[in-house]
Every structure is written in C-alpha cells, then in structure tokens.
C-alpha cells in the first residue's frame, strides 16, 4: 500500500473515531435525560427514545474503540514502514514507546470505559454516568496528544486547549447527531412533553459547548496560522480550516434557527408539524457536523499553516 493510501485510511478512521466519540457522548447525555423522563417504565411514552439512546450510546462507544485500535494499527504501519498486514509485530512498541502510540492507547482505554458505561440497556444511573464522563475525559486527553497540539509538548497549554476543544465539539456534535437518531422515537403526541424537555436540554448544553468550541477554536486557528492570514490561503491546512469553518458556520446557523425560531414555536403549539420541523432541522445540522469532523481529521493530518515557510 502506498503512503498516500495509508494516509487516507488514517484520516478516514480518525474522522470515524471523532464521529463515534461524539455519538457516544450524545447517547449518554440523551440516555441520562430520558432516564429523568422515566423512559424505563413499562408504560412511559419516552420508552422508545430511551431504548434508542442506549443503542446509539453502546454502538458508538464500541465503534470508537474499534476505530481507535485500527488507527493505532495504521500508525504502527506508518512508523515501522511495514505493510498494514505486518504492522502487528510493532504494535506494542509503537503503543508503549512513541508519543502518538501512547495517545492512541490512552484514547482506546477511555473508549473502553465509555463502552462499559453504556454496555446495558438499563437506565443510566449516576455511577454509570460518572464512568462515562471519566472515559470521555481520558479519551479526549489521548486524542489531544495525537494532533498538532502535541508539538508544544506533553501537558502543554496547547494540549489542554485541544482537550477542551475535543470535548466541547464532541458534546455539541454528539447531541445533534445522536439527537437526530433518537428524537424521532419521541415523535408521538403522547411523548410530546418529553420531546420538548429533552430538546430544551439539548439546546442549552449545545449553547455552552458552542461557546467553548469557538473560544478554543480561535486559539487553535491562531496557533496553526502562526498569526499570519496568508497561511489560510497558501496552504492545504488553511484550505481545510476554511472548509471546516464553513461547516461550523452553517451548523451554527441551523442551530440558531432551531433554538430561536422552531423550538419556541413548538413550545407554543406542541403540534406534530412543528415537532417535525425541529427534528428535520436537527437532521440537516447532524450532516453538517459530520462534515466538521471530516474537515477536522484532514486538518490534523495536514502540515500546519505556520510551517509553510519552513
């Protein structure tokens, strides 16, 4: 396999890992919120939503672990110069003795905790939520140590900012993408009250997450360009950043439309038509968030803009 093909696979699985991480976080949050709606009760109108949130959470957590392991395997192939099929012989050495390998291993360990927290369809109690939060924190710290932030050194400010950025983006993207899957299960008129409360919670936490995403994203963009606007137009990294910003802006616009127009209208009318509008807007926003994660993967595998001059 050529180096270009290997790099493409690394970018693809990194993007899948980001989407899976976000969906796992979204599944956990939605599961916890629906637990408050007594989704586990046999006659609860939120029961279908609770089950779907549990399935999304465990499927995404397992996918995250799998993507992390595959990414570690691909990293071993890239570092050892061997084929993908033969990379297993250097897997342990890369995972234990290289910065990138340790980062992926830590990320996988966090993913295992996430998977354990979501491993059953039983309601998400406080203990399981705590395990999921710990897993998310560990997974994000491992991922932060893999990208360009690691150039500043372990436990640097850049890594800390990237850690916050990954968590905030995961929460924002997670509630949107997982919500686009779970909320249709609350579309019945009998579940309308639960739908309203869950969407309101999603909107509130997404607003906080977006604020953190913007703040940390500005720091990362400034650091990546080296303070030079030319890096945006004269480097592949800059072009990828522009594409990511376009996706982010479009997702923000749809999120604002949902929060300030569609959701208030649904709260006033509680109608099926307005419920469909809220869910359909979220579905489009979910597609845009996937685009954000793909662009972020390209960014992390591109030479930073500040390096274009050597």
């Amino acid at each position: 396999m050529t180096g270009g093909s290997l790099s493409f696979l690394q970018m693809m699985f990194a993007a899948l890992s980001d989407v899976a991480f976000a969906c796992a976080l979204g599944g956990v949050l939605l599961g916890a919120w629906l637990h408050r709606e007594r989704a586990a009760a046999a006659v609860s109108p939120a029961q279908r939503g609770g089950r779907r949130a549990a399935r999304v959470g465990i499927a995404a957590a397992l996918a995250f672990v799998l993507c992390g392991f595959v990414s570690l395997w691909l990293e071993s192939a890239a570092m050892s110069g061997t084929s993908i099929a033969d990379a297993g012989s250097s897997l342990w050495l890369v995972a234990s003795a290289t910065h990138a390998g340790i980062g992926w291993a830590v990320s996988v360990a966090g993913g295992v905790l996430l998977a354990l927290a979501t491993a059953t369809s039983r309601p998400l109690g406080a203990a399981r939520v705590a395990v999921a939060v710990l897993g998310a924190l560990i997974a994000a710290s491992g991922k932060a140590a893999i990208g360009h932030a690691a150039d500043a050194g372990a436990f640097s400010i850049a890594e800390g900012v990237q850690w916050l950025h990954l968590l905030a983006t995961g929460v924002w993207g997670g509630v949107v993408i997982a919500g686009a899957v779970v909320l249709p299960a609350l579309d019945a008129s009998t579940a309308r009250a639960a739908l309203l409360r869950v969407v309101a919670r999603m909107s509130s936490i997404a607003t906080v997450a977006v604020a953190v995403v913007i703040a940390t994203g500005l720091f990362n963009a400034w650091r990546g360009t080296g303070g030079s606007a030319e890096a945006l137009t004269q480097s592949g990294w800059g072009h990828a950043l522009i594409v990511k910003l376009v996706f982010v802006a479009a997702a923000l616009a749809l999120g604002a439309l949902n929060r300030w127009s569609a959701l208030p209208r649904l709260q006033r009318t509680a109608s099926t038509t307005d419920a469909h509008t809220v869910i359909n807007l979220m579905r489009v926003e979910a597609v845009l968030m996937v685009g954000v994660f793909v662009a972020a993967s390209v960014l992390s595998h591109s030479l930073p803009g500040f390096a274009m001059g050597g």
Side-chain angles (χ1 to χ4, degrees), residues 4-185:
S5 299
L6 180 58
S7 295
F8 175 77
L9 284 175
Q10 287 179 299
M11 282 191 292
M12 183 183 73
F13 277 99
L16 288 173
S17 174
D18 287 343
V19 173
F21 179 62
C23 288
L25 295 184
V28 168
L29 288 168
L30 285 162
W33 291 331
L34 287 166
H35 176 51
R36 296 173 62 179
E37 299 295 332
R38 301 186 181 280
V43 294
S44 171
Q47 184 184 68
R48 288 183 62 235
R51 289 176 177 173
R52 191 170 294 187
R55 290 169 186 161
V56 168
I58 182 59
L62 291 175
F64 177 70
V65 172
L66 177 61
C67 287
F69 181 77
V70 172
S71 294
L72 179 57
W73 190 285
L74 294 174
E75 190 71 29
S76 298
M79 287 189 170
S80 64
T82 61
S83 67
I84 293 178
D86 297 328
S89 59
S90 58
L91 187 66
W92 174 252
L93 180 62
V94 170
S96 60
T98 68
H99 190 81
I102 292 172
W104 278 118
V106 170
S107 178
V108 170
V112 169
L113 284 179
L114 264 175
L116 289 174
T118 58
T120 71
S121 59
R122 290 179 299 175
L124 275 169
R128 288 172 60 201
V129 170
V131 173
V133 170
L134 178 62
L137 296 176
I138 293 173
S141 67
K143 290 177 71 65
I146 296 167
H148 298 310
D151 297 340
F155 307 108
S156 62
I157 292 176
E159 271 198 10
V161 171
Q162 179 65 2
W163 176 72
L164 281 176
H165 187 73
L166 291 171
L167 285 172
T169 308
V171 169
W172 176 26
V175 296
V176 170
I177 299 173
V181 177
V182 174
L183 292 188

Side-chain angles (χ1 to χ4, degrees), residues 191-257:
R192 193 61 39 80
L195 174 66
L196 282 166
R197 287 189 290 268
V198 169
V199 172
R201 293 183 184 114
M202 291 171 63
S203 181
S204 296
I205 197 169
T207 300
V208 175
V210 165
V212 178
V213 167
I214 292 174
T216 54
L218 287 173
F219 175 87
N220 287 340
W222 170 79
R223 183 174 179 273
T225 60
S228 171
E230 292 183 356
L232 291 174
T233 58
Q234 298 183 15
S235 68
W237 182 92
H239 297 158
L241 178 59
I242 291 173
V243 171
K244 181 182 177 181
L245 291 175
V246 169
F247 277 119
V248 168
L252 282 173
L254 277 178
L257 181 63

Side-chain angles (χ1 to χ4, degrees), residues 272-287:
T272 299
T273 298
D274 289 330
H276 288 169
T277 299
V278 168
I279 292 171
N280 288 335
L281 282 173
M282 191 168 295
R283 283 170 171 161
V284 179
E285 188 181 353
V287 174

